[in-house]
Amino acid sequence: MSHLPTEVDPLLGRAQIATLAGVGRPTVTAWEKQAGFPSPRRSNGQDYFRHSEIMSWLDRRPVPSVRLLAGEPIGTTYGDRARRSEGGELPTRSAGAERRDAGSYRVPSGTVDEPRPESRRIVTELMGGLVDRVRGAAGVLDYLNLLLCLHYLRGADPGRFDALAARARTITGLDAAAQLLRDIGRSADDGLRARGVHSSMTEALRRLEPRTARDLRRVVDAMSGLDEDVFGLILDAYEQQAALGSGEFFTPRAVVRLMTRLACSEFGPGRPQSVYDPFARDGGFLIEAAAACSVDEEGRPLGKAVRIHGETRLVDTWRLATMNLLLHGVSPALALRRTEPWNDGRGGTPKASYDIVLTNPPFNMSDPGREQRLGGQWAYGAPPLDNDNFAYVQHCLAMLGDGGRAGIIMPNKAGNSGHPAERIIRRNLVEAGIVDCVIALPAHLFTGTAVPVSVWLLRHPADPCETTLFLDARHMGAKDGPRRVLGPQDAESLLDAYRAHREGEGAAPGSRTTAEERRVPGAVVSREGLRRSGYSLNPLDHVERRRNEGDGPASGRTSAWGRLSRAEERLAAAEEAAARLPFVGDRRPLPPEVGQAPEVLLDVLCEIQAGPSYSRLGRAQRSRDGSVPVVFPQHLRDRRISDEVNELVTEETARRLKNFELRDEDIVCVRSGAIVPPALVREREAGWLMSPNVIRLRVLEAQRGRVLPEYLFHYLCLDETVEWMRDRAAATAAPSLRSESLGALKIPLPDLAEQQQIARALSGVDELDRAHREVAASLRDTRIALAEGLLRPAGASASGLTAHRPSEKGARA
């Protein structure tokens, strides 16, 4: 069974076909018996026909002369009549859906970086005790379908959703609750069929058995409070509660966005124009790629559609992915197929190539058998018979067009497995210059599996690379229950490291010694180096051994001990200074009067200035030959402006934009993007420029005797203040913190002497924190250097022990 991709191609019932063609309902039944009439799709126990196929059939059938209507000449086809009667709107399409299509569906939009705390609370409530109270004997997936139907209707047809929500508030009995569930499913099915999707949500929701009408009312009321993109949040909560039992682990949004930006990073304006995912899961890669490819570098719509195609295996995930795509303005070009995507003999995969291929295929973690597959065309070697890891890699490469890029999530084990067939494939990929970059990701990123994985970024063989970049991001991300979550700053650090490699800036990541560079240990390995490693594509076989190769092991250990000694000296000085700090040195409880102060609005204390527009400071105005740095949100790290600002403009541009320059003691906040704690401008950054994505706070001269900039900065860094800003940013149509919203923040103002004490204490603790982290980072480097000196046998290679490395002859067998 294979369903071909769906564009905006509605599904029609027999009565709708009769109305369209101007015939009686029995005539359609008679037509079905004739050769060539389109085959139906089943939905909720009824048959539906694709609009394009019906129109093609009607175009081939002339209207008999005795049945011509007034004004129809001889030779008129039923297709001609249908086009005149359509009037631009099909019977199943609601007015609300039409209004929505006219707006947000025009330009695809990516997913929300971080849902509001209130949305997290609501989803937690929905996926708690209400699951069992509403589903009864039905499955958890049927309950999930209810949530996603409501979320879909709220976004795609708000008028119909509001009517259903109003009904929910009045139901009192189980019969009324059952009827409401059927109507919710029918409304979702009508909307999806109008978009060409043969959905069966009515059938799924009919199986639910709520204990009381009040339980269903609580669900609908809660969904009314979710006014943003929470599709992924609902799926994450579902996975934590039930998982899908089929390996359908959805890809974390941060990983999706990272891979999309990596794959798009080398394309020029107007490209890429096409995207493919052979295992689409919830459609996340297609959504992010379509959004990224639909706007220019300044965020302006390009006004042209991106060609996308995805494939998925299960009916349930196909429906969920389709709704997710529609809500983000992406035409749901998804194929539902039962066979492997490289099996062209059974249809389903388009005979086309794509600029970008992104996927998270199902992993095969068991050791493969020794057999190789006999069938199929494998450009880089036949993969093992019972393991599809490298089958997906080769299929993705086969679907790439010239100059294309592929991003694939692979288990770390695939990078250095000892299976002869997999080693041959890795060898051929390396020798063809296809492996651009491999990034080791943290463990526990996925809800349903702890399998350690890497991102493989591959190139089209017509555009080979001579070296491969390996990055180690295993230490990145923050704990969130049993999982780890990559943050926006983690993704920016990885993108910066990748760009530096591709643009040839400086040495390999990891070879410099700044704290920021050490966040992403890395190694650039030549083709010859990969040959010596037995063609290993596991970053762990390259990154840690790369650190001390430059001047020899002994020199590396000496350098590491020296950095550790200097870091320890700075820590001792910071600890001595901290002992003299107010509220810190004596470590006694705070006096009760601390924190009790009148509040003043922020816009009374500060000038609040948003950055320049994209037209005044966009990509065209920035230059690598410039000398004045421009501060973007990704440069706000650890409450400071990073030393690694690499966006520059000329002095002439800086003079023209003098109103947007930074001064000592200004405060820089994120305006659009992921909201992080602000940064205090230091003297060295005076004269730098704001980007369009940040906001500058500058204490008014008249308020200088009333508030200290450093005190104000520390208050803005409070977790609850940052959450306040995130909440205000998320409340806008496009997540952005407006100056007016920020100005409404209330700031407690103690007297100036107390502000000075507070600022001195917190700044001193910040210095102590940085000193501790520098010692910890230096100690890790020293431990690695010492372990390699003590444990690596003399004469061992930098990428593997000589005794275990396969010979060149064996590797090429």
Side-chain angles (χ1 to χ4, degrees), residues 263-416:
C264 292
S265 62
E266 291 191 51
F267 287 91
R271 292 278 309 279
Q273 298 178 355
S274 55
V275 185
Y276 170 60
D277 182 353
F279 201 83
R281 299 179 188 266
D282 65 340
F285 284 113
L286 300 177
I287 289 169
E288 287 300 329
C293 300
S294 299
V295 296
D296 62 17
E297 291 181 339
E298 312 302 344
R300 295 184 294 259
L302 291 173
K304 60 180 179 181
V306 178
R307 179 169 59 93
I308 71 166
H309 178 69
E311 295 169 2
T312 187
R313 301 284 187 87
L314 299 178
V315 173
D316 290 325
T317 51
W318 178 76
R319 291 184 185 124
L320 300 183
T322 297
M323 284 195 289
N324 202 8
L325 289 163
L326 286 172
L327 282 174
H328 289 89
V330 181
S331 183
L334 290 175
L336 174 63
R337 55 179 300 157
R338 305 300 191 195
T339 60
E340 298 84 356
W342 49 86
N343 190 341
D344 289 336
R346 303 186 193 181
T349 300
K351 301 293 184 181
S353 60
Y354 296 86
D355 294 329
I356 290 179
V357 177
L358 296 165
T359 194
N360 174 13
F363 298 153
N364 295 120
M365 286 306 299
S366 59
D367 289 323
R370 310 309 288 180
E371 293 184 77
Q372 295 182 8
R373 33 190 113 194
L374 301 177
Q377 297 181 352
W378 306 105
Y380 303 95
L385 186 62
D386 55 352
N387 191 304
D388 290 341
N389 291 332
F390 283 93
Y392 270 100
V393 168
Q394 296 191 70
H395 174 67
C396 290
L397 289 171
M399 300 301 289
L400 275 186
D402 288 349
R405 297 288 184 271
I408 309 173
I409 295 179
M410 293 284 282
N412 285 355
K413 188 175 183 180
N416 56 3

Side-chain angles (χ1 to χ4, degrees), residues 450-529:
V451 171
V453 300
S454 297
V455 171
W456 291 22
L457 190 64
L458 309 177
R459 307 166 72 92
H460 190 276
D463 182 26
C465 54
E466 296 301 319
T467 61
T468 298
L469 172 65
F470 293 92
L471 296 173
D472 183 5
R474 291 174 301 159
H475 60 291
M476 288 186 163
K479 287 283 288 180
D480 182 12
R483 297 174 57 191
R484 290 194 76 81
V485 178
L486 283 179
Q489 295 302 327
D490 298 318
E492 288 296 337
S493 295
L494 288 166
L495 286 163
D496 287 346
Y498 174 75
R499 291 184 185 121
H501 165 64
R502 295 312 313 161
E503 296 171 6
E505 294 180 357
S511 63
R512 288 173 284 193
T513 59
T514 66
E516 191 56 44
E517 285 293 336
R518 284 198 296 273
R519 291 195 69 212
V520 193
V524 178
V525 183
S526 67
R527 199 172 296 174
E528 178 57 35

Side-chain angles (χ1 to χ4, degrees), residues 77 233 298 429 506 509 625 689 719 757:
T77 67
L233 193 60
E298 312 302 344
L429 293 174
D625 298 326
L689 285 184
D719 287 348
Q757 286 188 310

Side-chain angles (χ1 to χ4, degrees), residues 15 39 59 102 189 200 211 286 343 379 407 443 450 460 541 554 582 597 606 639 643 673 687 698 714:
S39 300
D59 281 339
D189 285 337
S200 297
R211 294 185 189 178
L286 300 177
N343 190 341
H460 190 276
D541 287 341
C606 293
R639 301 187 294 277
D643 294 339
R698 179 175 294 165
H714 286 298

Side-chain angles (χ1 to χ4, degrees), residues 261 265 269 296-300 499 503 613-624 632 634 646-649 692:
R261 293 179 66 185
S265 62
D296 62 17
E297 291 181 339
E298 312 302 344
R300 295 184 294 259
R499 291 184 185 121
E503 296 171 6
S613 65
Y614 283 107
S615 60
R616 300 186 67 185
L617 183 53
R619 175 63 63 182
Q621 285 76 32
R622 302 198 292 273
S623 169
R624 297 187 58 80
F632 281 79
Q634 61 263 31
N646 52 9
E647 298 285 354
L648 305 170
V649 297

